[in-house]
Amino acid sequence: KAGVTQTPRYLIKTRGQQVTLSCSPISGHRSVSWYQQTPGQGLQFLFEYFSETQRNKGNFPGRFSGRQFSNSRSEMNVSTLELGDSALYLCASSHDRPSTDTQYFGPGTRLTVL
Amino acid sequence: GIQVEQSPPDLILQEGANSTLRCNFSDSVNNLQWFHQNPWGQLINLFYIPSGTKQNGRLSATTVATERYSLLYISSSQTTDSGVYFCAVEPGDDKIIFGKGTRLHILP
């Protein structure tokens, strides 16, 4: 069974631009969660999607958004990029709730904002 | 909000040694998990353990929910155990809060 894939793996953008990251979950998994990892703030929960609906959201500004498609693939979008958005963005998939189910993580997308 | 503190922040051990990593949390939680992030950044779920004790090979974990802490034990460490170990809690609102992690370096 293929693992969680994320594209692109690396991305360089400039302040003010927007970016879209993609995550393909393990086949059969309906929950996709997104996390941001930075040296200063550590790992932070962004949001979780289940069956095309956002089920939970962390404490991030509205510039961070996401969606999930009928095949469970998910995208996250960051608009009006700031330097502080430079981070490793991880997605994880699970059958159901990420707080109780085993999550399988992708390799991450490393975003650099210049 | 809930605070999650992990100790020690860094640990250097010789291969074959045992270690205990600790996770304290400031309020009651519904769920607790342990993760390992290898030096290449890959995160792996180790345990889902809101209470009690679980074992998986050389790794075991114990959570004492009433005293608000969890312990991760690694026995007979191997170099492949190197990386950062995170605990994460879910305080009841389905949001997951991570600790800052313990960075473990196993020397050959």
Side-chain angles (χ1 to χ4, degrees):
Chain A
K1 197 183 258 191
V4 178
T5 59
Q6 292 186 244
T7 57
R9 293 292 312 277
Y10 302 91
L11 206 46
I12 299 175
K13 292 285 188 178
T14 56
R15 277 181 299 174
Q17 288 187 308
Q18 75 165 21
V19 66
T20 299
L21 312 182
S22 180
C23 173
S24 292
I26 289 173
S27 177
H29 286 186
R30 294 164 67 188
S31 170
V32 174
S33 299
W34 288 89
Y35 301 89
Q36 182 197 64
Q37 187 174 27
T38 60
Q41 298 300 314
L43 265 165
Q44 296 185 88
F45 171 72
L46 276 159
F47 30 63
E48 186 236 344
Y49 285 86
F50 183 84
S51 293
E52 302 179 66
T53 301
Q54 186 181 86
R55 193 159 58 173
N56 214 335
K57 189 178 187 331
N59 297 324
F60 278 82
R63 299 185 298 106
F64 291 82
S65 62
R67 60 178 175 167
Q68 187 179 33
F69 302 95
S70 58
N71 61 358
S72 293
R73 189 178 70 86
S74 178
E75 290 181 347
M76 68 162 281
N77 184 275
V78 188
S79 62
T80 320
L81 283 166
E82 301 177 358
L83 295 179
D85 297 333
S86 294
L88 179 67
Y89 290 89
L90 293 160
C91 88
S93 76
S94 55
H95 283 293
D96 200 339
R97 297 192 177 280
S99 56
T100 56
D101 268 353
T102 299
Q103 294 184 78
Y104 295 87
F105 285 82
T109 293
R110 185 163 295 282
L111 171 65
T112 301
V113 182
L114 303 176
Chain B
I2 192 169
Q3 303 297 312
V4 182
E5 294 184 2
Q6 292 188 242
S7 59
D10 297 280
L11 191 55
I12 301 175
L13 296 172
Q14 207 69 42
E15 199 168 27
N18 302 329
S19 58
T20 301
L21 282 54
R22 188 176 180 102
C23 173
N24 291 335
F25 39 99
S26 60
D27 206 344
S28 58
V29 298
N30 282 0
N31 297 296
L32 187 144
Q33 300 176 75
W34 283 95
F35 298 86
H36 174 226
Q37 187 170 37
N38 69 20
W40 297 271
Q42 182 66 49
L43 258 172
I44 295 172
N45 230 141
L46 295 175
F47 292 103
Y48 161 68
I49 184 164
S51 64
T53 298
K54 287 188 178 179
Q55 179 151 10
N56 184 3
R58 296 181 296 102
L59 273 59
S60 65
T62 295
T63 297
V64 184
T66 52
E67 297 188 22
R68 299 178 185 168
Y69 73 88
S70 183
L71 302 173
L72 178 68
Y73 305 97
I74 305 173
S75 64
S76 305
S77 299
Q78 300 175 359
T79 55
T80 51
D81 295 330
S82 294
V84 184
Y85 290 81
F86 294 99
C87 84
V89 302
E90 188 258 308
D93 56 1
D94 267 344
K95 294 181 175 60
I96 297 174
I97 311 296
F98 286 84
K100 295 290 188 188
T102 291
R103 185 173 298 276
L104 178 64
H105 190 182
I106 305 298
L107 302 174

